[in-house]
Amino acid sequence: MMDIDEPLDFEVEDSLLINPVVPSKRKNLMGLDELLTEHYKEQSKLIENEARKQAKARKCYVSDDEDKNCKEAMLASLLDDCQKQMKAIHSVEEMSEWGLCVFGEQKTTPPLSFPELGNWSILQSFMNNELNSLVGLTKEQGCTFLEGLLKNGWLLKLIFKCGCVEKSLATWTFFLMLYSSKEELRSSACEFWCAILSSKIQVGMRPIEIDWYPSYPELKSALETYGFLFNFSSNISAENSSGCKGPPQNIITWIKFTAVYCQVRCNKQSILLTSDCQELAEVILCLFLDRRLQGLSVLMRNCMQSIISSFTEEEWINSYSRIAKSIASRVPTDLNCLRAVQCISGVDPRTKHLKSVVAFEILVNCFENKVHDDIGILTLLTSINVKEKACDFFKMYIYLVLAENWLRYDEMFSDKPVICEMWGVFLRNCSCQISSSDLRPHASKVRNKAAFLLQGIGNS
């Protein structure tokens, strides 16, 4: 009989029942201190990782910042160098102003004492008149009395009434005009002389008889007293003329009188010789070169026109070349020579011809008198290589403007096909062989000027 406590048959075959699995024991629970320690370890790792990242990022940032600063420094250095180069180019490109000092130290003016003025017939007749008993005019007061008549215009009216100017009165008013320091007195004397001279040439006016005419030595002596340098140095520019004194205000009346005096010469009424007029033309052109006389440009142009018109046709043929050569030898080959050519302004054939000849003679001087004919000048101009690094474009600009004035105002230019062709070649060399990006000083000026002139040739 089976024991009740014995396992059943199927229970014997069950491995689970035969070898029951003993459950493993649970691990002991972690304490609070261990948890905190573990937490702090994890936090430390996170902080270290974050620090490494920040250090790496800082290193990269510093490196990028240094690279950026280096690039900025290099760029700034390049910009500074570029700016210095542009300033250097600009300083060279800035053409110095024209202007010469044609006046030096002034001399002492001659004394304005004319005792013989008391012998003037009209003054004598007035002093001998019964009315003088009321006025009480004496011979010593005669000069002061005449000055009052001169300033208010009554002296001129008396002259037109009597129709004659005696030598004593003529010399007195002439020297007042040239040397008086009183503006009203010298202006009135100049108006007096201009009026009596104009009576010789104006139609319908009664000509005034003049017992004494001033000669060119008197006019030249006045210029020497003003300090005019007849042989001025071309090295004394306007910038270095601080020690040069300008002319007195009497130069205004001198110019006005000279203009009217040369107009009278056209009618054979003055004693100016051909050589005198030649030198007067040279003087006026030199006055144009003094920047302190720019305000008198209109007066000087009118005077120049009067001088040119005073020559007879035969005198002019023998005079214009001498005037041109004298001017060319006196002015430097810089902007002053262009100023001298520019100041010969006028639309009459003589003025245009003189302008052309002066420009040509200055060109001859520019090339040190190596050539003296038009083909020779243009041959030298076309032989200049504008591509050479050492090419002086300032001189090229001077040559270009001078050649333009020489050929433009030459009446025979259109009848010289060889000259026209050579002129065109020179302009094409300047306009086509100089690049628009050429930064050499004055290169753009030459290129633009030549291109403009070449366009004019093409249109014509």
Side-chain angles (χ1 to χ4, degrees):
M1 189 166 175
M2 296 180 62
D3 188 0
I4 195 168
D5 295 326
E6 291 180 0
L8 298 176
D9 295 337
F10 68 88
E11 289 180 338
V12 175
E13 297 175 358
D14 194 349
S15 61
L16 290 177
L17 292 177
I18 298 172
N19 297 314
V21 178
V22 180
S24 60
K25 294 182 181 180
R26 286 185 70 183
K27 291 184 179 181
N28 293 331
L29 294 175
M30 295 181 65
L32 184 59
D33 293 337
E34 293 177 350
L35 288 174
L36 288 174
T37 300
E38 191 71 21
H39 173 71
Y40 287 138
K41 287 181 179 179
E42 295 293 333
Q43 289 296 321
S44 297
K45 291 179 180 179
L46 292 175
I47 290 173
E48 288 177 1
N49 292 336
E50 188 68 26
R52 290 193 193 99
K53 291 180 180 179
Q54 289 181 358
K56 186 176 181 181
R58 191 180 300 109
K59 185 177 180 181
C60 293
Y61 176 76
V62 171
S63 178
D64 293 343
D65 197 28
E66 289 178 354
D67 291 342
K68 183 178 179 181
N69 290 338
C70 290
K71 291 179 180 179
E72 288 180 353
M74 291 176 62
L75 181 61
S77 178
L78 289 174
L79 290 175
D80 289 341
D81 292 341
C82 182
Q83 189 174 11
K84 289 178 181 179
Q85 291 178 7
M86 293 302 294
K87 284 183 178 179
I89 294 173
H90 182 67
S91 62
V92 177
E93 188 99 359
E94 284 184 347
M95 293 187 178
S96 58
E97 291 184 339
W98 60 266
L100 294 176
C101 180
V102 299
F103 285 92
E105 292 293 330
Q106 300 177 19
K107 298 181 180 179
T108 304
T109 58
L112 299 177
S113 176
F114 294 88
E116 65 274 10
L117 193 60
N119 298 325
W120 183 38
S121 59
I122 295 180
L123 182 62
Q124 285 290 335
S125 62
F126 179 80
M127 293 175 63
N128 296 331
N129 194 285
E130 296 178 356
L131 294 176
N132 189 36
S133 60
L134 300 175
V135 179
L137 180 65
T138 62
K139 189 174 182 179
E140 292 74 16
Q141 297 172 335
C143 186
T144 304
F145 176 70
L146 290 178
E147 285 182 2
L149 294 179
L150 179 63
K151 289 187 287 188
N152 58 33
W154 279 102
L155 182 61
L156 185 60
K157 293 179 180 179
L158 286 173
I159 294 301
F160 277 115
K161 191 70 175 176
C162 67
C164 178
V165 179
E166 297 179 12
K167 180 180 179 179
S168 59
L169 186 64
T171 54
W172 174 66
T173 51
F174 179 76
F175 278 84
L176 282 181
M177 175 184 66
L178 295 184
Y179 301 112
S180 176
S181 60
K182 300 177 182 179
E183 181 179 359
E184 186 179 7
L185 204 55
R186 64 173 177 266
S187 298
S188 301
C190 182
E191 292 176 3
F192 176 86
W193 265 101
C194 291
I196 61 176
L197 289 174
S198 298
S199 68
K200 300 284 188 179
I201 56 178
Q202 289 184 2
V203 179
M205 286 190 65
R206 176 190 174 188
I208 303 298
E209 294 183 11
I210 304 175
D211 292 344
W212 176 84
Y213 281 97
S215 62
Y216 177 69
E218 273 93 16
L219 291 174
K220 185 175 182 178
S221 177
L223 286 177
E224 292 173 345
T225 303
Y226 300 159
F228 181 77
L229 304 173
F230 283 88
N231 296 312
F232 65 87
S233 172
S234 60
N235 296 324
I236 304 180
S237 63
E239 298 174 354
N240 302 323
S241 62
S242 56
C244 298
K245 294 183 180 180
Q249 292 296 317
N250 303 71
I251 191 66
I252 299 175
T253 53
W254 187 95
I255 295 172
K256 289 181 178 179
F257 172 82
T258 302
V260 178
Y261 205 36
C262 289
Q263 290 176 7
V264 174
R265 184 180 185 272
C266 299
N267 291 5
K268 309 292 184 181
Q269 296 291 336
S270 74
I271 58 176
L272 290 177
L273 303 176
T274 303
S275 58
D276 299 336
C277 292
Q278 291 172 357
E279 191 164 345
L280 283 174
E282 298 166 15
V283 168
I284 295 299
L285 281 176
C286 291
L287 293 181
F288 273 111
L289 301 180
D290 197 320
R291 298 187 69 88
R292 294 166 294 185
L293 300 180
Q294 287 187 84
L296 307 180
S297 295
V298 175
L299 289 178
M300 291 189 289
R301 284 193 176 94
N302 292 338
C303 187
M304 191 66 187
Q305 289 297 318
S306 298
I307 296 171
I308 293 175
S309 302
S310 67
F311 293 96
T312 64
E313 196 62 36
E314 183 179 356
E315 290 174 341
W316 179 248
I317 293 174
N318 298 322
S319 298
Y320 69 81
S321 180
R322 175 187 167 179
I323 296 172
K325 289 181 179 180
S326 176
I327 293 298
S329 64
R330 300 177 74 170
V331 298
T333 54
D334 53 18
L335 293 184
N336 288 288
C337 68
L338 301 187
R339 169 70 177 175
V341 174
Q342 177 190 12
C343 292
I344 307 174
S345 58
V347 296
D348 58 290
R350 284 187 181 182
T351 304
K352 290 181 178 180
H353 189 207
L354 181 62
K355 192 184 189 82
S356 174
V357 177
V358 169
F360 176 79
E361 292 297 337
I362 295 175
L363 267 176
V364 171
N365 277 6
C366 287
F367 292 108
E368 300 177 350
N369 294 292
K370 294 178 181 177
V371 291
H372 296 86
D373 61 301
D374 45 10
I375 294 180
I377 289 291
L378 287 172
T379 300
L380 290 176
L381 290 176
T382 54
S383 66
I384 299 175
N385 187 2
V386 296
K387 293 183 178 181
E388 287 185 357
K389 188 176 181 180
C391 182
D392 190 340
F393 284 102
F394 177 72
K395 288 185 178 180
M396 284 290 293
Y397 183 79
I398 300 293
Y399 301 159
L400 185 60
V401 176
L402 289 174
E404 174 201 0
N405 284 277
W406 158 41
L407 297 174
R408 171 181 291 182
Y409 297 102
D410 184 2
E411 296 179 350
M412 304 301 294
F413 173 62
S414 58
D415 298 330
K416 301 176 182 178
V418 176
I419 300 299
C420 294
E421 181 62 27
M422 296 180 72
W423 173 236
V425 170
F426 175 62
L427 293 180
R428 281 189 289 274
N429 289 345
C430 294
S431 62
C432 301
Q433 295 185 12
I434 302 175
S435 171
S436 59
S437 59
D438 196 329
L439 295 180
R440 287 178 292 176
H442 311 294
S444 61
K445 294 181 183 294
V446 174
R447 180 180 181 274
N448 295 337
K449 181 73 174 178
F452 175 77
L453 295 176
L454 190 60
Q455 184 180 10
I457 291 179
N459 293 336
S460 60

